[in-house]
Amino acid sequence: AQMLDVVGIDASGDPRYRFHDIIRLFARERLFGQETEADRKRVVARLVGGWLFLVDEANKRIQGGDHLFLHGEGERWEPPQNVVATALSEPMTWLENEQVNLCAAVSLAADTGLDELCWELASALTPLFNRRGYLDDWEATNHRAMEVVRAHGNKRGSAALTFSFGSLYLDQRRYAEAGKSMADALEEFTELGDELGRAMCHRELAYLEHLHGNGHRALELCEMAHADFESVGDLAGLGRTLHLSGHVYTTLGDTERGMRDLQGALEYAQTTGDPRDRAQVLRRIGQSTLGVGEYQEALGILSEAFDLVRDLGDPIGEGYLLHDLGRVNVLLGRRQEARRYLGRALAVREQILDREGEAETGLDLARLLLEAGETEQAVELAGRAARIFEERGMEREREAAAGLMTSPRS
């Protein structure tokens, strides 16, 4: 009888196998029935350590180096180099293919009491979850890991996971919860003397201050983040901080300083070789160019950024850039192109459950449809946007949507 099933093909074209459920259950019973707790823990540590090594290597290849990663003392197990090279020839594809196994490894580490390996693996999966919009898995693995680090009094693991929760809440636009998590993580990292963790928190807190309209406070926090990133030599952190400060300066009206910081951020992104960082900086440069009335140039820059995120398979980035391209085409008077881009942006944001983004895009599309005389669909979109804005407590945006519903053309 066969013990294995072929369940797919890996990145190198070789078959992927899976044990039959009955075989897996039998092996698990033997493990818990015949092996000591110490032996079981040692075996699980080797297994999870192997996964962690591969995830670390995948992240380095994706982000151009060991940037913006919080590491602990969990022991890695390094597979043979030819296995690593084959498995990680397409690192993001490998992470996606192994997502179920990697999440299971976090749970296994938690069940076995391997708190250090557990939080490290959960944190290391953040780039996958963030770039692909797997927010439910992100939240579930964080909760599982946090249970075990708190049970073991693992302060650095707690700080790292608290920061990870803050990043998740930012992606979910749960800004109040994000701010609390980032402030808590900053306090923990400061107590531990962890410069990298402190820098990462200052950068995200700066972003939150910017969102709340506190541009000058955001720049102060950017300076703090920049100093710590410079101290630890994290190039990606330096680039992302300049990215944010450049955007803030531009928002405050200092376009010259803003573009200078954004160009510096672009140089860091080119140095690390992370195309996603490059796309995000190009987006801000495109928006700044749009803000000074250079619509055609902005279109070219935003199109370049969109090509990058599309090739990366980044749905969150696609949603933002499709919306930007819709707006710039409106300003260029290209109504059909604008409608096409905004329609695609709305579909993406609905797909990734970005409710706020859905409302913002829907409202822009409703304005365009209203101008074209398509009143019924415009009012429907504006009404949906108004309801979402009301749920989110975004009164100014809700009023704008409600006003569109009652405009003379509707």
Side-chain angles (χ1 to χ4, degrees):
Q2 289 184 330
M3 297 177 64
L4 296 171
D5 278 331
V6 177
V7 294
I9 303 295
D10 65 19
S12 64
D14 292 327
R16 291 171 59 86
Y17 298 99
R18 185 179 188 273
F19 281 111
H20 291 297
D21 288 343
I22 190 67
I23 301 298
R24 295 167 65 234
L25 287 170
F26 175 73
R28 185 176 180 83
E29 288 176 2
R30 291 291 296 269
L31 174 66
F32 283 92
Q34 297 188 6
E35 303 295 334
T36 66
E37 182 178 350
D39 285 339
R40 290 198 302 270
K41 200 165 188 174
R42 177 173 47 79
V43 169
V44 172
R46 177 181 169 93
L47 173 66
V48 178
W51 282 122
L52 181 56
F53 177 87
L54 289 168
V55 173
D56 282 346
E57 288 299 307
N59 285 335
K60 289 175 189 176
R61 296 174 191 219
I62 291 165
Q63 297 193 189
D66 194 16
H67 305 303
L68 295 169
F69 292 122
L70 296 162
H71 298 299
E73 298 177 357
E75 186 175 352
R76 275 73 169 162
W77 175 74
E78 182 175 352
Q81 280 303 305
N82 64 317
V83 173
V84 175
T86 300
L88 302 184
S89 59
E90 296 288 342
M92 184 56 77
T93 300
W94 179 83
L95 285 168
E96 286 190 284
N97 288 341
E98 299 295 351
Q99 180 183 350
V100 172
N101 291 327
L102 291 166
C103 291
V106 171
S107 294
L108 182 60
D111 291 340
T112 315
L114 298 169
D115 54 300
E116 192 76 0
L117 284 168
C118 187
W119 81 254
E120 283 198 80
L121 183 55
S123 293
L125 292 175
T126 296
L128 168 65
F129 297 147
N130 169 262
R131 292 176 183 230
R132 290 297 186 262
Y134 299 148
L135 305 188
D136 290 342
D137 281 344
W138 189 352
E139 189 161 16
T141 55
N142 268 12
H143 277 300
R144 195 71 186 88
M146 186 64 89
E147 290 172 2
V148 71
V149 298
R150 284 180 172 166
H152 287 77
N154 190 323
K155 292 184 177 181
R156 190 151 192 272
S158 175
L161 291 167
T162 301
F163 174 83
S164 182
F165 270 118
S167 300
L168 168 66
Y169 297 148
L170 278 174
D171 274 13
Q172 294 173 324
R173 306 197 193 208
R174 295 158 61 181
Y175 297 131
E177 293 163 276
K180 183 181 186 311
S181 291
M182 289 300 173
D184 290 346
L186 175 60
E187 184 177 343
E188 292 179 273
F189 282 129
T190 300
E191 182 182 328
L192 292 166
D194 189 318
E195 288 182 293
L196 177 58
R198 191 169 61 205
M200 292 165 65
C201 291
H202 276 139
R203 196 272 180 197
E204 301 309 325
L205 287 167
Y207 177 63
L208 285 164
E209 291 291 349
H210 163 65
L211 289 179
H212 294 143
N214 304 322
H216 294 291
R217 176 56 180 161
L219 291 174
E220 290 174 2
L221 289 165
C222 281
E223 288 181 10
M224 296 178 193
H226 193 280
D228 278 335
F229 280 131
E230 194 166 45
S231 178
V232 299
D234 195 302
L235 299 182
L238 288 167
R240 292 188 187 184
T241 304
L242 284 176
H243 173 191
L244 176 57
S245 63
H247 181 54
V248 175
Y249 275 118
T250 301
T251 303
L252 291 173
D254 191 346
T255 304
E256 182 179 351
R257 174 61 189 273
M259 290 297 283
R260 188 163 70 244
D261 280 8
L262 288 171
Q263 288 297 334
L266 187 60
E267 289 174 12
Y268 276 117
Q270 290 167 339
T271 298
T272 61
D274 184 349
R276 189 176 192 244
D277 273 358
R278 185 162 176 264
Q280 290 176 337
V281 178
L282 284 171
R283 177 176 180 248
R284 291 304 188 196
I285 293 173
Q287 290 176 325
S288 298
T289 305
L290 188 65
V292 297
E294 299 291 342
Y295 301 155
Q296 195 63 48
E297 184 179 352
L299 177 63
I301 295 169
L302 292 169
S303 295
E304 182 182 354
F306 175 72
D307 288 342
L308 286 169
V309 298
R310 182 185 56 196
D311 291 344
L312 290 169
D314 173 6
I316 295 174
E318 284 188 43
Y320 279 113
L321 279 156
L322 286 167
H323 194 177
D324 291 336
L325 288 166
R327 285 171 167 168
V328 73
N329 274 284
V330 168
L331 293 169
L332 285 166
R334 299 172 176 173
R335 296 294 191 267
Q336 286 303 314
E337 289 88 343
R339 179 171 179 171
R340 180 166 55 87
Y341 279 120
L342 290 172
R344 289 168 63 191
L346 183 60
V348 169
R349 286 179 151 172
E350 288 174 344
Q351 179 185 352
I352 63 175
L353 304 179
D354 178 2
R355 296 276 287 162
E356 194 171 314
E358 175 190 339
E360 291 168 349
T361 308
L363 186 57
D364 280 345
L365 182 56
R367 292 189 179 104
L368 198 61
L369 292 172
L370 196 61
E371 289 179 7
E374 298 182 41
T375 305
E376 184 176 347
Q377 189 178 357
V379 169
E380 181 183 344
L381 284 170
R384 190 190 314 167
R387 289 190 293 275
I388 294 172
F389 289 139
E390 186 173 15
E391 290 169 8
R392 299 279 171 152
M394 301 168 68
E395 184 58 26
R396 180 170 57 85
E397 292 82 358
R398 187 203 65 77
E399 288 178 0
L404 192 67
M405 295 168 64
T406 57
S407 67
R409 283 170 291 185
S410 63

